[in-house]
Amino acid sequence: MSQEWGFYFDASRCIGCHACSIACKNRHGVESGKVDWRRVERAQKGEFPDVQERNFSVSCMHCKDAPCEKVCPADAIKKRDSDGIVVVDREACIGCHYCGWACPYGAPQYDEKGLMQKCNLCLDKGPGSGVDAPPKQEQEDPLTPACADECVGDALHAGPIEDLLDMASEDAQNRFLQDDQCHVIVESAGEGSETGNETETAD
Amino acid sequence: MSDAERGDGITRRSLLKTSAAGAVAAGLAGCTAGANPSNETIAGAAGTAYGNCWMCHKLCGMEVTLNREGRAQELHGIDGHPRGSAGEGTKGTLCPKGLSQLEKAYSPQRIKKPHVRKNGELQAVSWDEAFSYAADRFEEFETEHGVEKFVNWEGWGTAGGLFETFLKDFVGVPNHMPHPTPTCFGSMAVPGTLMGLGGGNIRWVDYPDTEYVLVWGRDPLETFAGQWEAKQLLDARDRGATVVTIDPVLTETAKQSDRWLPIKPRTDGALALAMANVIIEEGLYDEAFVENYTHGFEAYREAVADKTPEWAAEKTGLDPEAIREVAVGFAEAAPSAGITSWTGLGQSPDFFKGAQNVVALLGLVGAIDRPGGNRWLGGVGLGNPFEERGIELPHAAKGKKPVIKGKGSDYASMIGKPVQNKIPEAIRNGDVQGMSFYYRNPVPSGAGDEWMEALGELDFFVTIDAFWSDVAREADVIFPEATQLEKPMLGKGGAGAYQNRGWITGSRAAIEPQWDTKPGIEIVLGLAEAMGHGDAFPWNDAEEYLNDKLAPHDLTLEDLEKRDTYVVAGEYGYEKWKKKGFANGSEKFWFDLDKKAKIFKGLSKKAGTEIRTEPQWIEPGTLGDAVDDEYPLEMIDARTVYFSHGGDQALSNPLEQLAEAMNLEEEDYRGNYVLLNPKDAEKRGIESGDMVTIESRNGSTELMAKVTEGIVPGTANVEPYGFGEGSIQPDEEGGNNMQLNAPDQYDDVSGQIDRHLGIEVRKTGGDAR
């Protein structure tokens, strides 16, 4: 696992600006519209004035045991042993959308041709690119994923999992290690966290 | 100046870029054959250029990746940049708008050629013809009307200073409308200056040393003045500083704060008085500062004596205990405590008093220009290119009386500032017959309907812009300006990541001007030549002109690029008021504005009740618009990161992201939104995604509703402003909420346009009332 790459996300520093989404589109030549390799979700809970809202930047989680890979009848999706990145071979993709149904995170996206495209952790630029790219750790100057490179709040990082674990809290490390699917280290930012805000009004 | 501390100018980022083009390419070439032109392999990245982002005019440094054809492919921030990073050794980024400059530069919706009006119709012409047409029309205008009837109006043009210099000193135009007032935060800026803080200084908290921040009517995690602010605020919080957001809306900053105080709009003045009551009562104020450096403390103390947290709770809707805790926390942290505020307390006549009450707190706890408090910025100067070349300005406007400002003008505020909302009247009266707009559009800023009508009555109208709008289409001459990536940039500061240090940042053009456009500076050079002033404008291009500004520092734009676009220079300390006095020109900070009693006499007359010179509570509607049974919701508005403005059209990527942020991306709508609390929405049968009409006593517009728990009931937040009729959005989608503003709704002191209006909201086509 030490060679595997992934993402680290700290919701307490995500300002919901979507720079990640647009940096991703710029890099991969994906125009504005329904195809989003990376998106920012907002989760609101409670009622005014006791209301909380958090932002979550979401893309392909590069799952440890990727459900999209398992359901793909064309063998077009691969979880790479070398660097843990889940890639799609668009030459093999038949556009059946099984991967879209199987993925719990909404990561697979479909263009006008109906073919799948999604985050490749910036192995290379463009839909379907990087299938045959050398492992991230063997590249001399691997591309830093554009989303992490332009994250204004410094909430999103990408790199070898072992480096990312170093910056994570113990809770986040444990969650990551115990989760047999999600390959993203997520810093806690829910209720009871240090930065969960309190609201103050007269009743 | 002390030189840049950067030596060879090579950074991790620039190293990475140059090596990436070679080394990695070998391994990856060919992997993405057939990708679109803006999406080449790493092998296709042929070079790096630089830029300084101008999407919100804050100059965040950029690296631009170019392909072999010289087309910009990717944009990246620059580490350590004073506006785009948290400071030395920290990562630089670009926000979503900055990243959208790729789309802006190549947008087919740009104005692609100069245009002039012939026989009533706009026609595309060459630059030479446009310049000579404009020169003839200026000459005719002067003969027929006199230059006193011409008004130049600038937003955030990149040749702002030079265009004004040309029109003022060579053509003789005496009327110039500055940017900040009357459309930005006049109701906060003017009392802030009169008291001695300085109008703009209410924004700048010394984040690296602060222990307590009141984010009061501002959203610095979203509407930052450069990304350094968002980064440093988050860093301060993570380091243990307390962040409290006071806002009717659960803003991005409120979401990430230790505490959100969801205050009823326009009741901030009551909260500030109650905080002062607690601070004085508990003896937590800065006695030495108050004693030695302030005026009017006794009047202030008396004014807040009965303004308890319980009293304020009733006005503000907040918990009295929370008010007490925040007051004590803020005062105990002071002087390492600051307030960052802006348009949230700057856009209603009622805030003239509300802002006074808030600014007074900084004097009370002595948090002015001290480590961790509100900063007074210093910086570094640039040269004057005319002086560099030994050119004397003819000062042609000298002795010419401006129509729109100063004492005796029918169109100026109490303190002589131009009132934008009164210009349509000036046009109707024939006092203004010609105008130039440079990246400025008054229609989404106030009295929208009246402006649209008035523009058609102008005899001569020139505009410089990058995108078409209904305003541009009214012009007689349209000069299309190149966008940021296509022109050289230079700026200095000031506000930025470096504590007590100034900086200069600049870059050359990264790509050629697209279509038949020019940088603003070169538009001025061409116009000057056509009007017979060529000798006084000897520069061949924009870069040469800007390099003259850098001459005193022995630098060029090319040198700056070698230093990652910036140098840090010019050191300044704290407590500058000790030697230089305060921004009111006095040696003391004034709690009580009794030395400006005339203003308050005028306000009292207008309000029909006494508006006092010391801090005082006035009910919302005393000076501004009232919320009543007929118009029961208070409209406020916000400038989000995706906002649209003259020259800053919201592009398709940011519009898409805005829709996603509202969770309304599935709707076939890419305009702005009005945020409503479920309590208000349910009463009117409104759900998220419904088209609604918002209506004031003066006018109405239509836009999409977003229902959220994150807003104080009774409040309707238009987010962001700048859309709809007359805006620069190509299809005018969304609502222009300043069609609801009447020409007489502005702050009489500053001229600031009133954006807090009583409104009703109904589902379009329905009968909610």
Side-chain angles (χ1 to χ4, degrees):
Chain A
M1 193 187 80
S2 64
Q3 296 299 306
E4 297 208 342
W5 273 54
F7 289 111
Y8 164 92
F9 175 70
D10 180 354
S12 80
R13 290 193 65 108
C14 176
I15 60 175
C17 75
H18 298 239
C20 50
S21 315
I22 297 181
C24 174
K25 284 173 185 281
N26 281 353
R27 169 155 294 166
H28 297 289
V30 178
E31 291 185 357
S32 70
K34 298 223 183 301
V35 176
D36 293 315
W37 292 18
R38 181 169 281 285
R39 63 189 197 276
V40 180
E41 297 279 342
R42 284 161 164 76
Q44 195 179 81
K45 63 179 174 185
E47 282 182 22
F48 180 88
D50 301 311
V51 54
Q52 293 194 350
E53 193 173 298
R54 288 281 168 212
N55 309 318
F56 296 92
S57 176
V58 185
S59 74
C60 173
M61 300 285 184
H62 299 280
C63 293
K64 293 166 188 166
D65 190 12
C68 57
E69 181 185 26
K70 281 192 213 153
V71 298
C72 180
D75 238 2
I77 301 171
K78 283 271 175 306
K79 165 90 177 168
R80 288 156 52 114
D81 291 335
S82 58
D83 53 15
I85 298 173
V86 177
V87 292
V88 56
D89 178 356
R90 283 163 59 88
E91 308 233 326
C93 174
I94 56 169
C96 69
H97 293 212
Y98 279 11
C99 49
W101 291 106
C103 174
Y105 307 108
Q109 304 284 302
Y110 303 95
D111 54 29
E112 288 150 5
K113 293 179 209 151
L115 299 183
M116 198 267 268
Q117 52 176 284
K118 64 160 198 69
C119 168
N120 61 0
L121 244 150
C122 285
L123 266 173
D124 200 355
K125 304 178 184 184
S129 67
V131 175
D132 303 319
K136 270 278 187 192
Q137 65 277 8
E138 285 172 26
Q139 298 176 14
E140 192 169 329
D141 278 307
L143 280 171
T144 305
C147 52
D149 210 18
E150 300 305 325
C151 179
V152 176
D154 208 24
L156 192 61
H157 292 255
I161 289 289
E162 58 179 8
D163 295 354
L164 299 177
L165 281 171
D166 283 348
M167 67 172 74
S169 67
E170 209 180 312
D171 277 356
Q173 288 177 1
N174 289 337
R175 258 197 312 278
F176 175 80
L177 295 169
Q178 282 157 23
D179 190 328
D180 51 17
Q181 181 162 301
C182 174
H183 202 50
V184 172
I185 301 162
V186 182
E187 209 58 76
S188 170
E191 208 166 7
S193 75
E194 279 174 36
T195 54
N197 60 48
E198 306 162 45
T199 54
E200 317 290 343
T201 57
D203 289 321
Chain B
M1 80 184 218
S2 72
D3 208 346
E5 279 65 47
R6 310 191 55 86
D8 59 12
I10 299 285
T11 62
R12 175 189 65 78
R13 196 175 277 269
S14 52
L15 268 174
L16 201 139
K17 282 285 148 50
T18 35
S19 57
V24 180
L28 297 182
C31 291
T32 59
N36 76 40
S38 66
N39 170 30
E40 302 197 353
T41 59
I42 307 169
T48 298
Y50 295 89
N52 288 95
C53 181
W54 200 246
M55 293 296 263
C56 61
H57 333 108
K58 300 300 175 207
L59 295 162
C60 289
M62 296 190 292
E63 270 189 12
V64 185
T65 312
L66 303 171
N67 72 5
R68 283 193 207 90
E69 288 79 43
R71 191 182 164 98
Q73 279 188 293
E74 283 189 26
L75 305 174
H76 295 282
I78 288 179
D79 295 350
H81 193 274
R83 279 274 168 82
S85 82
E88 199 168 357
T90 67
K91 198 174 90 167
T93 53
L94 283 178
C95 79
K97 256 176 59 169
L99 292 168
S100 300
Q101 287 180 107
L102 278 184
E103 187 189 339
K104 183 173 184 174
Y106 299 115
S107 170
Q109 287 160 339
R110 294 261 305 268
I111 305 175
K112 294 171 183 166
K113 277 183 83 65
H115 285 69
V116 302
R117 193 169 295 279
K118 286 184 188 170
N119 306 318
E121 296 291 318
L122 276 181
Q123 289 181 20
V125 294
S126 69
W127 277 99
D128 282 348
E129 189 176 346
F131 286 140
S132 96
Y133 175 95
D136 291 347
R137 291 290 307 267
F138 264 116
E139 203 171 310
E140 282 167 32
F141 187 90
E142 184 166 5
T143 313
E144 203 174 321
H145 308 293
V147 283
E148 289 88 344
K149 293 195 174 182
F150 194 91
V151 175
N152 173 44
W153 207 308
E154 303 199 7
W156 288 105
T158 48
L162 188 61
F163 192 50
E164 181 174 328
T165 298
F166 172 67
L167 287 178
K168 188 166 72 185
D169 292 319
F170 292 85
V171 182
V173 172
N175 303 296
H176 298 270
M177 184 76 97
H179 170 73
T181 51
T183 55
C184 197
F185 69 125
S187 311
M188 164 61 88
V190 171
T193 298
L194 294 177
M195 295 170 80
L197 175 69
N201 294 332
I202 194 70
R203 274 179 291 177
W204 313 125
V205 174
D206 193 20
Y207 290 117
D209 279 326
T210 200
E211 288 169 30
Y212 209 103
V213 187
L214 297 176
V215 179
W216 203 329
R218 196 173 174 225
D219 186 7
L221 290 192
E222 177 155 30
T223 330
F224 32 76
Q227 301 159 88
W228 67 277
E229 267 197 304
K231 293 166 191 287
Q232 288 197 341
L233 175 58
L234 285 172
D235 288 349
R237 182 207 60 185
D238 286 356
R239 162 173 69 65
T242 302
V243 180
V244 177
T245 293
I246 302 158
D247 205 294
V249 180
L250 182 68
T251 60
E252 289 298 337
T253 311
K255 284 158 70 171
Q256 297 288 11
S257 295
D258 296 288
R259 243 177 167 156
W260 174 38
L261 302 186
I263 195 167
K264 282 186 198 159
R266 280 191 286 179
T267 65
D268 308 82
L271 171 61
L273 293 175
M275 286 177 63
N277 169 290
V278 172
I279 292 167
I280 293 172
E281 196 92 331
E282 307 262 332
L284 293 172
Y285 64 98
D286 185 335
E287 279 180 56
F289 183 82
V290 166
E291 171 73 26
N292 297 320
Y293 293 103
T294 70
H295 159 78
F297 178 66
E298 278 315 311
Y300 184 22
R301 182 205 286 268
E302 271 174 49
V304 303
D306 58 349
K307 301 294 181 285
T308 59
E310 286 70 22
W311 167 85
E314 215 165 287
K315 307 286 181 195
T316 58
L318 302 172
D319 172 15
E321 246 344 278
I323 296 174
R324 198 165 271 117
E325 281 172 31
V326 169
V328 168
F330 176 72
E332 283 182 344
S336 300
I339 299 174
T340 182
S341 183
W342 196 32
T343 52
L345 303 190
Q347 301 189 332
S348 160
D350 290 324
F351 280 132
F352 187 76
K353 286 306 293 182
Q356 184 185 357
N357 300 352
V358 170
V359 171
L361 288 171
L362 288 172
L364 185 63
V365 301
I368 299 173
D369 202 27
R370 283 176 164 164
N374 275 62
R375 285 170 67 174
W376 277 9
L377 304 167
V380 58
L382 291 172
N384 177 332
F386 289 97
E387 285 172 14
E388 289 294 323
R389 303 276 176 139
I391 296 159
E392 290 214 13
L393 301 180
H395 299 299
K398 209 173 168 188
K400 295 207 163 81
K401 195 172 155 38
V403 185
I404 61 163
K405 61 184 171 188
K407 281 195 180 126
S409 164
D410 292 338
Y411 310 109
S413 77
M414 274 184 196
I415 56 170
K417 290 204 179 265
V419 177
Q420 176 166 311
N421 267 19
K422 285 198 143 191
I423 305 299
E425 185 191 331
I427 294 170
R428 268 202 316 278
N429 293 344
D431 289 329
V432 170
Q433 310 240 11
M435 291 193 79
S436 50
F437 286 174
Y438 186 5
Y439 275 169
R440 185 99 179 221
N441 182 350
V443 180
S445 298
D449 292 335
E450 290 75 8
W451 264 107
M452 283 309 292
E453 207 178 304
L455 288 174
E457 293 171 30
L458 285 171
D459 185 42
F460 181 39
F461 175 19
V462 182
T463 191
I464 302 176
D465 214 322
F467 286 91
W468 288 104
S469 66
D470 273 2
V471 171
R473 284 185 201 96
E474 288 288 334
D476 300 297
V477 182
I478 300 167
F479 293 127
E481 187 168 4
T483 69
Q484 197 282 297
L485 290 171
E486 307 154 63
K487 61 191 173 189
M489 298 294 289
L490 178 64
K492 65 177 173 71
Y498 289 81
Q499 232 179 345
N500 299 329
R501 303 289 303 275
W503 46 267
I504 297 169
T505 186
S507 52
R508 296 175 295 175
I511 59 174
E512 290 292 310
Q514 298 299 295
W515 297 289
D516 203 2
T517 63
K518 278 183 192 292
I521 292 168
E522 289 169 28
I523 292 172
V524 181
L525 297 180
L527 192 57
E529 175 78 34
M531 291 176 74
H533 300 291
D535 289 349
F537 290 78
W539 303 278
N540 287 313
D541 56 31
E543 189 175 333
E544 207 175 281
Y545 173 80
L546 293 177
N547 278 340
D548 272 0
K549 284 194 167 193
L550 281 169
H553 299 288
D554 206 16
L555 282 169
T556 63
L557 293 177
E558 197 177 347
D559 295 334
L560 283 175
E561 287 187 354
K562 286 180 187 150
R563 296 159 193 245
D564 271 2
T565 74
Y566 72 94
V567 293
V568 176
E571 208 156 349
Y572 54 93
Y574 292 99
E575 298 188 339
K576 293 183 277 297
W577 34 262
K578 277 189 175 163
K579 276 191 181 157
K580 295 181 181 169
F582 290 85
N584 50 11
S586 154
E587 287 173 4
K588 299 204 165 173
F589 174 88
W590 297 343
F591 293 118
D592 188 350
L593 293 171
D594 51 344
K595 296 178 204 306
K596 300 284 172 186
K598 211 174 144 195
I599 292 173
F600 293 86
K601 234 183 216 170
L603 286 177
S604 301
K605 200 173 151 201
K606 162 137 191 184
T609 182
E610 192 188 7
I611 308 294
R612 300 176 61 85
T613 58
E614 70 272 19
Q616 174 198 15
W617 164 245
I618 61 168
E619 293 286 344
T622 305
L623 290 164
D625 197 35
V627 171
D628 54 24
D629 290 347
E630 200 179 352
Y631 296 101
L633 299 174
E634 176 153 349
M635 182 187 79
I636 59 174
D637 63 11
R639 178 197 289 201
T640 68
V641 72
Y642 315 102
F643 90 115
S644 156
H645 213 39
D648 296 331
Q649 185 191 42
L651 299 150
S652 65
N653 264 325
L655 283 174
E656 184 81 16
Q657 303 306 322
L658 171 64
E660 285 186 24
M662 296 288 164
N663 200 18
L664 290 167
E665 69 268 29
E666 297 301 326
E667 302 286 341
D668 181 23
Y669 174 87
R670 290 295 177 265
N672 54 348
Y673 302 84
V674 56
L675 273 55
L676 297 169
N677 185 283
K679 279 192 183 133
D680 298 317
E682 277 160 26
K683 247 185 263 175
R684 294 166 174 81
I686 295 168
E687 292 175 8
S688 276
D690 287 345
M691 292 305 291
V692 296
T693 297
I694 60 173
E695 182 192 298
S696 73
R697 270 167 275 268
N698 186 60
S700 66
T701 190
E702 192 184 8
L703 73 174
M704 187 173 276
K706 161 75 182 173
V707 180
T708 172
E709 296 285 350
I711 188 167
V712 172
T715 312
N717 183 31
V718 174
E719 184 174 319
Y721 76 80
F723 285 68
E725 214 173 306
S727 76
I728 203 159
Q729 292 307 106
D731 46 14
E732 299 194 335
E733 200 160 16
N736 174 359
N737 64 319
M738 283 294 102
Q739 290 178 291
L740 278 62
N741 165 269
D744 64 353
Q745 289 182 314
Y746 63 88
D747 176 343
D748 284 277
V749 184
S750 63
Q752 167 67 46
I753 293 158
D754 190 353
R755 304 179 80 96
H756 288 250
L757 306 177
I759 65 164
E760 180 53 287
V761 182
R762 64 177 69 85
K763 203 166 156 174
T764 298
D767 53 346
R769 291 175 63 200

